[in-house]
Amino acid sequence: MPSAKVRRPKSRRALLREVTLRNPMLALALVLSVVATGGAESGEISGGVVKVGVLTDMSGPYADNVGAGSILAAQMAAEDFGGTVNGARIEIVSADHQNKADVGAALARRWYDQDGVDTITEVVSSGVALAVQAISREKRRVFLATGPGTPDLTGKNCSPVGVHWAYDNYALGNVVAGAAVRRGLKNWFFLTADYSFGHALEEQAARVVKANGGTVKGSVRHPLGTADFSSYLLQAQGSGAEVIGLANAGTDFINAEKQADEFGIKAGGQKLAALLVNLPDIHALGLDKAQGLLLADSFYWDRDDATRAWSKRFMARFDGRAPGSLQAAVYGAVTHYLKAVRAAGTDEAEAVMAQMRQMPINDFYTRDAHLRRDGRVVRDMYLLQVKSPAESRYPWDYNRVVETVPGDRAFRPEAEGGCPLVTP
């Protein structure tokens, strides 16, 4: 016999909307009840708990960049908030979506329908994120996308309860490809992960290359989780392009970079441009192979005193490993969400989103950012360069900040995204 679904208790505001249409006198009684009890309290929190679901890659190519570190970041956010909000306990749950849209969608539905999850965060895979955003919109729950790159989350697939927190492929293309072309590297060939994330990353980088007077000689696409890149790298090498743009991430990027050395691609004069690199990727490669690489990111742990202070707390609980940007982003997104729940006095998605848009975003990760109508958090992006082994002074001292790119220059203008929520 199938188990019965657990229905979330309706908040006072939801009850008031429903009852007003049926019985105005009962609606008045509800209003008086809210006034008598002070309004915003744990009674406005469905189920008496604020439950945050970290849906992440625990076993696949992105596990080092998100995974257990993202779960820890969410736990730290809850702890730093005091463990409660408006009298309701904060609970963190987690699961592995295996980078499969059907698995991620099934987990999201179960969390929302049966387990009382209020918000889902992380979801590094773009395909999974698009599915989870659609379900979150249907179920009227806030979705905090910190890991995925596809700009469609704030474009044609935007949602009134969707937030795209850290980076996106449009910004990466602007920052990395633009910098490379300005340095004279104008002839490109792309080696691309064959799913929505890789396609969007290649598309955005190619747009920037062409807009700055460069040319694209072609591309080749590989499956997610590829171990042998030989045939793809031979095509890229044979193109004669000055730059081979790696439109992939995680272990795919690491394997492609390592095998490119085996084929003598860099020794032959061709450059590799990594369009998405996270700190754990550089650690896995080693500075001897990664040195000189230009990359874009929304966070670097050693950038200033505030980033170092939080990162050292994280490292003390994570076997000495420094946080990558996607892990730190979970802390920032969950913290902002909890602040909005506190200010709204409820976990009702529309009320929380209104507060998230109203409040400026300021913490160790983010400076003076804001949440747009399309769900995009507009923040500074950084052009980073990997140090040489001789330049690195201590463990995880891998990058230097070359340039800070303001958010309004890095990200796609709101009017150009095609989000139906945006009106002229």
Side-chain angles (χ1 to χ4, degrees):
M1 181 176 178
S3 60
K5 291 183 178 179
V6 177
R7 296 190 179 276
R8 291 160 54 94
K10 293 182 180 179
S11 70
R12 286 175 175 167
R13 296 183 186 188
L15 284 170
L16 183 58
R17 283 197 301 268
E18 182 178 315
V19 171
T20 298
L21 297 175
R22 299 181 182 178
N23 191 326
M25 294 303 295
L26 182 55
L28 177 60
L30 278 173
V31 170
L32 293 174
S33 172
V34 170
V35 171
T37 57
E41 58 181 14
S42 60
E44 287 285 339
I45 304 298
S46 56
V49 60
V50 174
K51 191 174 288 190
V52 178
V54 183
L55 189 56
T56 188
D57 179 2
M58 294 295 295
S59 55
Y62 309 130
D64 286 344
N65 294 329
V66 285
S70 291
I71 298 168
L72 171 59
Q75 291 169 340
M76 290 175 65
E79 292 165 9
D80 289 351
F81 215 79
T84 64
V85 55
N86 292 354
R89 178 172 53 87
I90 303 167
E91 182 179 345
I92 307 297
V93 298
S94 62
D96 184 356
H97 55 55
Q98 303 172 41
N99 295 298
K100 297 176 182 177
D102 58 340
V103 173
L107 286 165
R109 285 193 182 278
R110 190 194 76 194
W111 274 356
Y112 288 151
D113 290 343
Q114 300 180 32
D115 298 340
V117 168
D118 294 287
T119 183
I120 292 175
T121 189
E122 208 292 283
V123 195
V124 66
S125 170
S126 290
V128 181
L130 289 167
V132 172
Q133 174 140 301
I135 294 168
S136 300
R137 179 171 187 161
E138 173 193 339
K139 301 295 182 180
R140 294 174 65 196
R141 310 290 170 83
V142 174
F143 176 42
L144 305 169
T146 55
T150 176
D152 285 348
L153 288 167
T154 57
K156 62 182 180 181
N157 297 109
C158 69
S159 165
V161 290
V163 179
H164 204 176
W165 189 264
Y167 74 105
D168 64 26
N169 295 339
Y170 186 102
L172 294 179
N174 268 350
V175 177
V176 178
V181 175
R182 288 193 300 271
R183 284 163 170 78
L185 300 173
K186 296 191 174 185
N187 195 314
W188 287 60
F189 184 95
F190 289 96
L191 195 158
T192 302
D194 193 11
Y195 74 110
S196 57
F197 158 78
H199 300 172
L201 191 54
E202 176 189 330
E203 177 186 349
Q204 299 304 330
R207 174 190 59 81
V208 174
V209 169
K210 294 173 184 177
N212 285 274
T215 59
V216 176
K217 300 195 74 171
S219 67
V220 61
R221 292 178 173 177
H222 67 83
L224 179 66
T226 294
D228 183 2
F229 279 86
S230 56
S231 64
Y232 309 112
L233 287 168
L234 284 171
Q235 291 181 63
Q237 190 175 39
S239 72
E242 295 174 287
V243 183
I244 299 172
L246 300 179
N248 53 18
T251 56
D252 286 335
F253 157 74
I254 293 167
N255 288 334
E257 177 83 19
K258 287 180 176 178
Q259 291 171 41
D261 274 352
E262 296 171 9
F263 281 91
I265 286 177
K266 288 188 280 188
Q270 288 177 298
K271 307 289 186 183
L272 292 181
L275 298 174
L276 176 56
V277 184
N278 280 283
L279 191 69
D281 302 328
I282 297 170
H283 183 75
L285 271 176
L287 291 182
D288 57 331
K289 294 186 181 299
Q291 61 181 306
L293 196 67
L294 286 172
L295 60 137
D297 216 332
S298 55
F299 169 84
Y300 178 54
W301 79 272
D302 203 18
R303 185 172 63 87
D304 58 31
D305 290 342
T307 59
R308 278 189 289 275
W310 184 85
S311 297
K312 288 178 179 177
R313 291 174 52 214
F314 178 97
M315 294 164 78
R317 298 173 61 173
F318 204 55
D319 298 326
R321 289 177 282 171
S325 62
L326 303 187
Q327 293 161 336
V330 171
Y331 180 97
V334 171
T335 298
H336 194 64
Y337 171 81
L338 294 173
K339 288 179 179 178
V341 170
R342 181 174 62 193
T346 178
D347 57 2
E348 186 181 53
E350 289 85 350
V352 173
M353 285 295 296
Q355 289 294 330
M356 291 183 73
R357 288 192 171 93
Q358 179 179 329
M359 297 186 301
I361 305 169
N362 277 296
D363 57 27
F364 71 90
Y365 186 106
T366 304
R367 300 286 188 275
D368 299 321
H370 64 279
L371 176 61
R372 292 192 317 206
R373 292 173 297 175
D374 61 357
R376 175 71 256 167
V377 172
V378 182
R379 65 171 71 257
D380 290 347
M381 292 287 292
Y382 305 102
L383 178 67
L384 306 173
Q385 188 168 36
V386 179
K387 294 180 176 181
S388 69
E391 293 172 305
S392 180
R393 300 163 295 170
Y394 39 79
W396 298 94
D397 177 26
Y398 293 162
N399 297 334
R400 71 169 62 87
V401 177
V402 176
E403 182 181 348
T404 299
V405 182
D408 58 357
R409 280 178 40 208
F411 290 97
R412 178 179 61 199
E414 186 180 59
E416 295 178 12
C419 172
L421 302 174
V422 176
T423 55

